[in-house]
Amino acid sequence: MSLVFEHTTLGQRVLFGSGKAAENLAAEVARIGPGKVMVIASEFEAVIAAAVSQNIEVTLMYDDVAPHVPIEKADKARAAAVRHGIDLLVCIGGGSTTGLAKAVAMTTGLPIIAVPTTYAGSEATNVWGLTEASRKTTGVDDKVLPITVIYDAELTTSLPAELSVASGLNALAHCVDSMWAPRADPINQALAAEGIRALNQGLPLVKDDPEDLAGRELALYGAYLSAVAFASAGSGMHHKICHVLGGAYNLPHAQTHATVLPYVLAFNSAAAPEAERRIAAAFGSEDAVGGLNQLRERLDAPTALKNHGLAEEDIPEAVELILSQIPTSNPRAVTRENLTVLIQAAFAGSVPEV
C-alpha cells in the first residue's frame, strides 16, 4: 500500500550544549536585535535564571508562575508585559513557566526564547493551556511557538532525581501518544520512536547518578524529539485524560502523566498493532507494555493517582469530563465503562493489563 499523509514541521531554532545556556542566550538576544526583555522564571528557578540571563539586559524579571497557567496569572503577566513595553520574552524553567510565556505571547504576539530546565517539552510545541474555574483549556496557535529553544543539560541538574523521572516519563507520554494521535504520520512516528529510545536509555542514567550529564543530555534530546512529535501529531487520549485531571483536580502535571501512561498504552495496544510493535522495538522489548513497565520499575516511577491528589469520589465526574475530549481517531473505542475501569486502575495503581 502506498504512503499517503500530510505532515507539518514547525519552524524553530534549537541550540543544544551543556554549560552554554548563558552564552547562547546572549547570542540569540543579540541576533534578534535591541529591545526590552522580560525574563519569566519561578522563584524556585531564580538563581538559575539570574545565571542564564547574566549577559543580557533585563527590563523585567517576572516570577508569578503557577502550574496549569491559571487565567488570573496569565492576565497579570500580560498586563506587566504591556506596561513595561516588552519586546522579547525569555522563559527559564519547566512547563508552567513556558506555559505562562505562551499565554503572554498569545495575546501580545511577542517572540519567545525558551530555556527549559525540565523534560516537559512545551518549549517545542505550538500548544497552549489555560485553567479557569478548575477547567483546563488547550489550543494550538503558532504565535506561542518559541522562536528559539536553548537546551543545556546542566540546568536540569536542579531537578531532583524523582522529579526528573516523572518529567522524563511525561516526555515519554508525548512519544507514545504521538503514535496514534489525530495527525499521526510516518515522520512524527519516527521522531517519537527515537525519543522513546533516547529516554529509555537516558532516564536510568539520571536515576543512578543525577549529576551525570551524559544521561541528562540523552533525556533532554529525547524530550525535544517527543515534543516535536507531539506538536505534529496532536493530542491523543493520554493527554486529554491528563489535561482534564490536572485542570479539574489540580494534580501535579508530570506525576499525573507518568502515572496514567501505562494504562493508556495497555488500553490501546491491541487495537494499534503496528504502533505497538514500533514502541516495543524502541524499548528493545518483546511488547510495548512490558518494555514500559520494565523502565518504570527501574525508575521507581509514580504508580497511583491516589498518591497525587485525586479522590476516589471524583472518578465518576472525571470520566464524564474526559469522555467528550477523547479524539474520535483513538484506535480503540472509549466508553464510559472502559474509561472508568482505566481511571480506577490508575487511581489504585494496579498492574496495567492489555
Side-chain angles (χ1 to χ4, degrees), residues 192-209:
E194 171 65 1
I196 292 171
R197 186 202 64 79
L199 288 160
N200 186 53
Q201 185 177 347
L203 288 176
L205 297 177
V206 175
K207 171 73 173 178
D208 291 345
D209 181 4

Side-chain angles (χ1 to χ4, degrees), residues 19 27 49 51 64 69 74 78 87 113 140 157 171 188 201 212 224 264 301 316 325 334 351:
D64 193 2
V69 194
R78 290 162 173 169
D87 300 296
I113 297 176
V140 174
T157 60
N188 49 48
Q201 185 177 347
D212 175 32
Y224 168 70
V264 175
Q325 302 297 314
V334 180
V351 177

